[in-house]
Structures are given as structure tokens and as C-alpha cells.
Amino acid sequence: MISHEAYSCEGWCLRETDLDLDVLAQSESLFALSNGHIGWRGNLDEGAPYELPGSYLNGVYELRPLPYAEAGYGYPESGQTMISVANGKLIRLLVDDEPFDVRYGQLHSHERVLDFRAGVLSRSALWSSPAGRTVRVSSTRLVSLAQRSIAAVEYQVEAVDGPVRLVIQSELVVNEPLPPGSDDPRAAAVLESPLRSEMHANDGARAELVHRTEQSGLLVAAAMDHVVDGPDSTHVLAESFDDLGRVSMTVALEPGERLRFVKFVSYGWSAVRSRQELRDQVDAAITGALQGGWEGLLAEQRSYLDDFWARADVQVEGDAEIQQAVRFALFHVLQAGARAERRAIPAKGLTGTGYGGHAFWDTETFVLPVLTYTVPAAAAYALDWRHSTLQPALDRAAQLGMKGAAFPWRTITGAECSSYWPAGTAAFHVGADIADAVVRYLNATGDTDFEQKIGLELLAQTARFWRSLGHHDAQGRFNIDGVTGPDEYSAVADNNVYTNLMAQHNLRSAAAVAKRNPDRARELGIDGEEMAAWCDAARDMRIPYDDELGIHPQAEAFTAHREWDFEGTVPAEYPLLLHFPYFDLYRKQVVKQADLVLAMHLRGEAFSAEQKAANFRYYERLTVRDSSLSACTQAVMAAEVGQLGLAYDYLAEAALMDLENLEHNTRDGVHIASLAGTWIALVAGLGGMRELDGSLSFAPRLPEGVTRLCFRVLFRGRCLQVETTEASTSYSLLEGDALQIFHFGDPVTATTTATSCPTPPPRLLPGESKRPTQPAGREPTLRSGRRRTSARKETP
């Protein structure tokens, strides 16, 4: 998209200067607004044309059966799919009885701007109807970060070249027709008309709808109200029907006259509250929004984002596209989690229905690191949601014959939403990923209340699962057999290194936190014997190593498999999952996404520098990156082993995943984990940030073309700023008491006065100066020479 001629490169917004319907599907995702509770896709105000209409409420889903040719014990029997709720974005305009439709008449100009600082989507259009009447239309759309249940639109129409008669229909529409389903397994199932009307009402300029899902039994309510500013002759009429609320405005305008109105929309849903209670809730939310008005919403939104950017902004000098991309990424990651508040953060956020609206391990491993160091309260809410789903995880473990908690591969409510699939069902590492996120949050915040109420129980129940899943062999080694690691092209393997190292960290952390909180540990039934068993398993954890090759196999016997025929695979056959049977993938050396390489990032202390370099080179030639989760991790480890040019290339791939539609499925929603990976590639990759045992360390180095990198992180109540150039790095605190950190292993005390440290030259191990190779046709695009180095001048 950003290489499209209609898209400019600007540091603080995404601007589209012309409307190209061929990329409408992607733009609907890119221009989506959300607060983690409400999600509005970036559809045109008038509704048509569209590719995928979407208005979502986090946690609202419908059940669907998961059929099997042959049933099996423990197979999940029903799944959950996120559904679209009442569309409150719709504003239909008729000019002298002709509908405003960009496909007809003449569209003289059209611009949309997603403003990362103001948190709004603005649109302006100059259009002449087929009969020759010209109007100027503008709108500003907002999903409030301050008022969780509120979204709003300011809409204006101006007569330009003659008198016009306008009819505007502002609508709430339920059960909109959806496009047909896709053969792509990453797309969501299409559920037709999933909502049944419970009541509708209208009064003045307000309309309300309440619906119930047929199978999941959720009540969903939406209300809208309007403040109209126009000529005295303006007439307003409200109507409501089962699946439609409509407020119509009619007016005659002379040239230069305008009709302006603000549409306030509120949403609510519940599995337990009554219809009247839910109706009262959305009415109250509307009343509260009306009190502050449109200007109040704008001011609250700007204030919220000013605070966010003050502690989260990342500045990149030398590459304007990456600068724009990282702010785009941070804005969408914030939108996905800001007000989710004990709900999941789906893989696509609330920007589309890709993956059915499910949350995966992506949340804990990629998204929560960003939130932990920028908006820690949002990270805490996400982990609180996992804690709220503990009972189904306990039930699932018991069904599998295990102790503790087995968290699902994909879910909305905590129940497993994936039908049996070896690459998902056996991916038990999700429990250790959750534990890792808990430990990271505790180390970054020192939140003892969270540790006692939520953290310890999550750590303990996941540790219990590993202790029961694994076993000691005759040599005294602790083995974890029959699991799937992050790489979905390898399934049901023994001693996956990533899984074992993450489980080891889980076990040790559970014992340490239990020891710190003896009273709470007793409440959870944790005694000294159990803690000792966790520590024994961690100490004896088997980590396979191939002495002949001098590398760690991804899992036991992985390096004995035949390598995939990369030379015989043509570009059109990627991603492999769409063109080859999993059976063939499972028995070959081919890696969908970083697995062993991810282990080196998250558990780097378990590997020597020599092992990291050798492992990275070996797995580069096997990794095809058929997952958007891979590039950011490869960027981090490329930077650590000294391959800065390659790190830069992978950084750009993660950053431009949606802006360039690299996976060809941005139409289904943006890739929240890859967007988070942009921050990870910059901060953990080029910035070299690591956290171990409650201490932060940095080893920043910049590739050729990036002249300055500056980022901020929150840690232990401090806001630390790291600013690096090729020659040196300065550390300073924007707030908080002195903090000891490490710069290339040397201790540094960060204070409010900047401390500058020289950057040592990169040291490549013998034989590592040559750039690693990738599978034929899967090399990352070279960033050098393709970047934009200057941005369009912006208005402050």
C-alpha cells in the first residue's frame, strides 16, 4: 500500500490521496479504528462499495460445529467465530434523490487520513452526482480510547455549485450480507444472519437495537443519537425495525451552506445481564458522551494518545517508511489492547475476521512484550483474561490425562476453538508462553498484588502441566515428548528445544514466585515437595544437541530428516501449507517460522555466542517464513549475531507486512503480532534490549542507512529513553529514580541526566562474515536502496 501512488510517506499518519477500489479490501483493514472493546473497519461512510463490512465487539461470537470424518476422544466438537454486530458507521447521502456513490457520477477528489496522534480517521470528498450537482463531503470517525463503549462520527455536507436537496440516512444495521467464504484456511467461517432481534426502539434522533446470538446466547445492544447543526428547515425523523435503526435528515441547501451533525454510537453485550439492563447500559453511555460532546471526545482522545506517545514513541532516522510503519504498528497494537479489559487480544485485533477472531500464543509472545513496556495496565488485563479462562484450561488438561492447565491453541472464551490438528493440538508451549509473559510483566512492574492474585496461580498451574507431561529417563534427563513447537511444519516431536527451554523457565519461575509468596502458595496447595519437583525437572531438562553438525536440532531427530526440495519449489507454491500435504511437510527439514531461533531470542542465556551464530546460519537456509510471525524474530537474532544488513531486511518485512500486503491477506485484518514485531525488531533487534532476572541490558547497533534510533520503555516505574547512533548510545530517565542497566555487559546507572556510552564495533565470529542464505526464492527483499529517506512535510 505505501508504495501505491495514492499513499504518502508521513511520520504521524497514513494518508490516502486517491481512492483505488482495487485495494479497498486492504485499506478497510489499515484504516480500522478500535479501542480493544469496539472495532470499526475502515469502510466508506456510505457503506458501498465494500469488501468486508465489519463492526465488532470483543468477545461477541457465535458457535459453529467442528465436524470430523471420524470422531476421536478429546476432539473439540464446537468452535467459536467472531461475528459482526450492529454497523454504526453507516451514513447514506442522497443528493436530489441520487445516492452518493463513488462508483457513479464524478469523484473530483478523495482523501482519507488515519492520524496516529489524534486517533481519528478523516475523510474528504468532492463529488458530482450523475445529474451534475456537486457537494463537498467530509467526515471524522473516532472510536474512543477514553469512553470504552463509545464511537462517533462527525459528518458534514456542503452544497458547492447550486441548490441541492439532501436526504441523509444515519443507520444501525444488523446482519449485513457478507462476501462468500474463502478457501484460505486463515480466513474465518462465514455465518449468515447470526443475530436474532430482541427489541428495537426510537425516539427523537435516537434509535436502539437489542439482539441475541442464536447458539451462544449473548445479548448485544447498540444505540445511536445525533446532534444536528443545519438550516432551520432541517427535518429529523427516527425509525426502528428488527435489524435496522435509522435517523433521517432532510434539508435544502444553497451554495456554501452546510449540514453538520455528530453521530454518537454506544455498544454493550453480556452473557448474564437482562435485556433491560443492557439497554440501560448503552443509553447511559450515549448520555455520558453527549454531555462532553464531540469536542470533548476529541480532547480526551488526543490527551490519551499524547500520554501514550510520550512513553512509547520510537524515532527512526534515515528511513521514513520504517518511521511511518513503526508508528502505524504501535497505534494498531495500542488499539488492539488498550480497553480490551479482561478480553482476548485476537490475532487480527478488531480489524477483521481473519482466523475467526481467535487469540493465539501470538498475544503473549509478541504483543504483550510491547504493551508491558509501554502500556503495562493493558498487559495486566490481557493476563487477567487468561486467568479468567483457567477453569477450562484445567478441564482440558484433565481430559488429556494431565495435571495443571492446558491452555487452548486458539480461542475466544478460553475453550479450544480448533478442531484436532497435530500442529495446534500438541502446541502445548502456549502455557509456557503465558508464563513467560507473566514473568516479564512482574519483572517490569514489580506488581506484587498481581503476582499474588493472578501471577502465581498461572505459573503454578502451567508448571504442574509440564511436570505431568514430561518424564525422567534412565539417564535422569527430563524429557517432554510428543509436542509441537512454534514451527507448524513440524508436529508431534520429542524434546522440541523451544518448548523445553520455555517449560524450564516456567518451572523455575513458578518455584521462585511460590517461595516469595508462601501464604498464597499454601492456598493453592503448593508445598515444598512440589516446588522441589519443579526445580528438579528444570535442572534436568533435556536440550538436544547435534555434535556432528555443531547445532541444536529444532527437536530430537529433526536434523536426521531429509531436507525439503527448495530448488524444486516455485514461488507460486508458497505458502507451502496451501499447496502441499502436511504429512509431507512434517517429515522434512523445512521451517514455517522461527522456532529454534525464537528460543535463542527468548532464552538467550541457554546458548553460547558460537551456538547462536551456528544455529542462526543453519536455520536461515530452512526457514521459508510462511508465517508473519517469523521476520521480527529473525531480525532480532540477525542483529545479535552481527548480520545487521539482514536484520534491517527482516525489520522491513515485519514493518511492512500489512502496509505492503506481503502475505496477501491483509483484507482479513491487520497482523497484530507482526505489527508488534516491528517494535521488537527495532528495540530488541537494533536496540539489543534483553531482560533477565529483573535487569535490562542493551547492545545497540545500527545497520547502514539508519542513522539514529531512539525509543522509550517503562520499567519499574521509570521511563527510560535510549538514543543510539553509529558511534554512541545515551541513556536517560524521563521520570523515576536512578536505574542500573547494562550496556554491552557493562553496568550503567541511568538518571535524568543523559549518560553516553561508546558503541563497540561489531564482532563477527570466524567464518560468520558472509551473509547467511535462505531457501531459493524466499530471501527477504534487500532494504538498502529501496527505503524512503525523507517524509512529506507535515502540519504540526
Side-chain angles (χ1 to χ4, degrees), residues 285-608:
I286 284 277
T287 301
L290 286 169
Q291 183 179 26
W294 173 248
E295 294 302 325
L297 286 176
L298 287 178
E300 289 175 341
Q301 194 84 336
R302 184 63 185 245
S303 176
Y304 188 102
L305 286 164
D306 283 348
D307 183 57
F308 170 71
W309 290 117
R311 63 176 182 265
D313 189 27
V314 176
Q315 299 172 30
V316 182
E317 291 184 6
D319 191 327
E321 285 184 345
I322 299 300
Q323 177 65 88
Q324 179 186 41
V326 68
R327 287 182 176 140
F328 172 83
L330 281 166
F331 181 71
H332 268 292
V333 170
L334 175 69
Q335 288 198 129
R339 303 303 303 273
E341 297 176 10
R342 300 193 80 217
R343 297 291 171 197
I345 299 178
K348 296 285 190 176
L350 299 178
T351 68
T353 55
Y355 299 107
H358 297 154
F360 296 76
W361 67 288
D362 311 12
T363 298
E364 284 76 20
T365 302
F366 297 93
V367 181
L368 292 198
V370 182
L371 294 177
T372 295
Y373 296 117
T374 58
V375 195
Y381 276 129
L383 291 169
D384 195 359
W385 165 72
R386 282 292 192 186
H387 185 257
S388 74
T389 68
L390 189 55
Q391 189 56 55
L394 294 169
D395 295 342
R396 178 64 173 161
Q399 186 181 43
L400 297 172
M402 302 295 165
K403 296 179 181 178
F407 284 93
W409 170 242
R410 55 192 298 173
T411 189
I412 292 177
T413 66
E416 180 62 77
C417 288
S418 176
S419 57
Y420 173 76
W421 177 47
T425 302
F428 298 121
H429 66 82
V430 63
D433 300 327
I434 294 167
D436 184 56
V438 168
V439 174
R440 182 182 299 106
Y441 173 79
L442 293 177
N443 287 343
T445 65
D447 188 342
T448 55
D449 189 58
F450 179 92
E451 178 175 279
Q452 293 171 3
K453 293 180 179 178
I454 294 172
L456 177 54
E457 189 168 18
L458 285 173
L459 290 171
Q461 295 295 7
T462 47
R464 283 169 173 162
F465 179 81
W466 295 120
R467 190 62 187 83
S468 65
L469 181 65
H471 67 95
H472 280 90
D473 61 20
Q475 289 75 41
R477 300 170 302 185
F478 192 78
N479 297 262
I480 301 177
D481 298 333
V483 300
T484 301
D487 172 31
E488 295 161 16
Y489 287 171
S490 301
V492 194
D494 294 343
N495 293 311
N496 170 259
V497 172
Y498 174 88
T499 301
N500 284 21
L501 284 175
M502 295 296 284
Q504 181 185 61
H505 181 55
N506 190 165
L507 290 159
R508 286 173 175 164
S509 299
V513 174
K515 189 175 181 180
R516 281 203 302 264
N517 297 274
D519 293 341
R520 178 63 173 147
R522 280 192 294 273
E523 290 176 6
L524 296 172
I526 304 168
D527 56 24
E529 184 177 352
E530 184 172 30
M531 285 188 279
W534 293 344
C535 292
D536 289 346
R539 180 197 62 214
D540 301 331
M541 189 68 67
R542 175 160 164 70
I543 309 298
Y545 187 77
D546 189 321
D547 292 304
E548 183 176 344
L549 293 175
I551 58 105
H552 287 83
Q554 182 172 282
E556 205 163 333
F558 177 80
T559 51
H561 293 172
R562 190 169 72 180
E563 290 189 13
W564 185 265
D565 181 12
F566 297 109
E567 293 294 335
T569 306
V570 300
E573 292 178 310
Y574 289 98
L576 299 178
L577 63 95
L578 300 183
H579 301 94
F580 297 93
Y582 273 104
F583 166 73
D584 201 16
L585 296 168
Y586 289 161
R587 59 197 184 94
K588 301 285 178 58
Q589 285 192 69
V590 55
V591 179
K592 180 183 180 183
Q593 64 203 69
D595 189 308
L596 190 283
V597 174
L598 181 60
M600 294 195 298
H601 172 204
L602 296 182
R603 301 268 60 85
E605 72 281 1
F607 303 86
S608 68

Side-chain angles (χ1 to χ4, degrees), residues 213-276:
T213 55
E214 291 279 2
Q215 302 300 320
S216 56
L218 305 178
L219 271 179
V220 185
M224 64 176 178
D225 207 341
H226 301 75
V227 175
V228 182
D229 179 15
D232 293 341
S233 60
T234 305
H235 179 67
V236 179
L237 173 68
E239 305 171 278
S240 64
F241 310 92
D242 282 353
D243 288 347
L244 173 67
R246 177 189 292 146
V247 172
S248 300
M249 290 159 263
T250 59
V251 67
L253 296 181
E254 294 297 321
E257 283 192 311
R258 296 181 180 183
L259 173 67
R260 173 189 176 271
F261 66 90
V262 178
K263 177 180 186 177
F264 298 89
V265 184
S266 66
Y267 291 94
W269 72 271
S270 178
V272 296
R273 290 197 296 277
S274 69
R275 185 173 67 189
Q276 187 58 49

